[in-house]
Amino acid sequence: MTHISVKVDGTTYEDDVEPRLLLIHYLRDRLGLTGTPIGCDTSNCGTCTVELDGTAVKSCTVLAVQADGSEVTTVQGLAHDGEWTALQRTFHERHALQCGYCTPGMIMAARDLLREHPHPTPDEVRHGLEGNICRCTGYQNIVRAVLDASEEEVTA
């Protein structure tokens, strides 16, 4: 076992974990943060995207021990006092989801994109979300939601 200290959605956790434990399993199974889904376990789909020290990562490719001393933000840590971020709200308003399974990863990847390109073009949004797969929507509403959010705020 390896001792880690990690701040997740503003709360610091101290735990002993197996060195091979993936961050996604630490978040879901140990901390009970099930808002980040497990998709493919191969880093192809992007549903498990979270922020690690402010950068989007696929949590199925990061070991929990690699997050030691770091700050992790999940989709569950975005809203403040019940107020959604612009991205969360525009995804809802633009119906940028159908089943909703990919939505947490899409929102987290879009946050990363907007940090790098505060006012992206539609092509930049598509390119920025390439590593996230949606099997339901056809992406048009997702692109519109990200563009709408970019008009409101760079990142919360």
Side-chain angles (χ1 to χ4, degrees), residues 67-131:
D68 183 33
S70 295
E71 187 166 343
V72 175
T73 303
T74 72
V75 72
Q76 288 171 259
L78 297 183
H80 296 287
D81 297 323
E83 293 292 320
W84 284 350
T85 65
L87 271 170
Q88 290 171 302
R89 193 179 65 261
T90 59
F91 264 67
H92 174 73
E93 290 170 354
R94 283 292 193 166
H95 196 67
L97 54 94
Q98 284 186 11
C99 79
Y101 203 77
C102 71
T103 305
M106 287 286 185
I107 288 173
M108 298 309 286
R111 281 174 51 90
D112 199 51
L113 168 70
L114 292 178
R115 231 184 323 278
E116 294 292 318
H117 303 285
H119 299 287
T121 66
D123 283 341
E124 288 172 328
V125 172
R126 286 183 190 90
H127 180 71
L129 299 179
E130 276 181 345

Side-chain angles (χ1 to χ4, degrees), residues 9-114:
D9 295 338
T11 302
T12 301
Y13 298 90
E14 301 270 341
D15 276 307
D16 292 320
V17 298
E18 292 216 17
R20 64 185 177 162
L21 181 68
L22 292 172
L23 181 58
I24 184 64
H25 296 297
Y26 178 71
L27 295 171
R28 292 178 59 83
D29 301 338
R30 185 70 67 90
L31 302 185
L33 297 172
T34 57
T36 301
I38 297 172
C40 62
D41 267 338
T42 62
S43 79
N44 288 319
C45 73
T47 63
C48 68
T49 302
V50 299
E51 289 177 1
L52 180 62
D53 292 329
T55 300
V57 298
K58 294 177 182 179
S59 60
C60 73
T61 65
V62 176
L63 297 170
V65 295
Q66 290 175 293
D68 183 33
S70 295
E71 187 166 343
V72 175
T73 303
T74 72
V75 72
Q76 288 171 259
L78 297 183
H80 296 287
D81 297 323
E83 293 292 320
W84 284 350
T85 65
L87 271 170
Q88 290 171 302
R89 193 179 65 261
T90 59
F91 264 67
H92 174 73
E93 290 170 354
R94 283 292 193 166
H95 196 67
L97 54 94
Q98 284 186 11
C99 79
Y101 203 77
C102 71
T103 305
M106 287 286 185
I107 288 173
M108 298 309 286
R111 281 174 51 90
D112 199 51
L113 168 70
L114 292 178

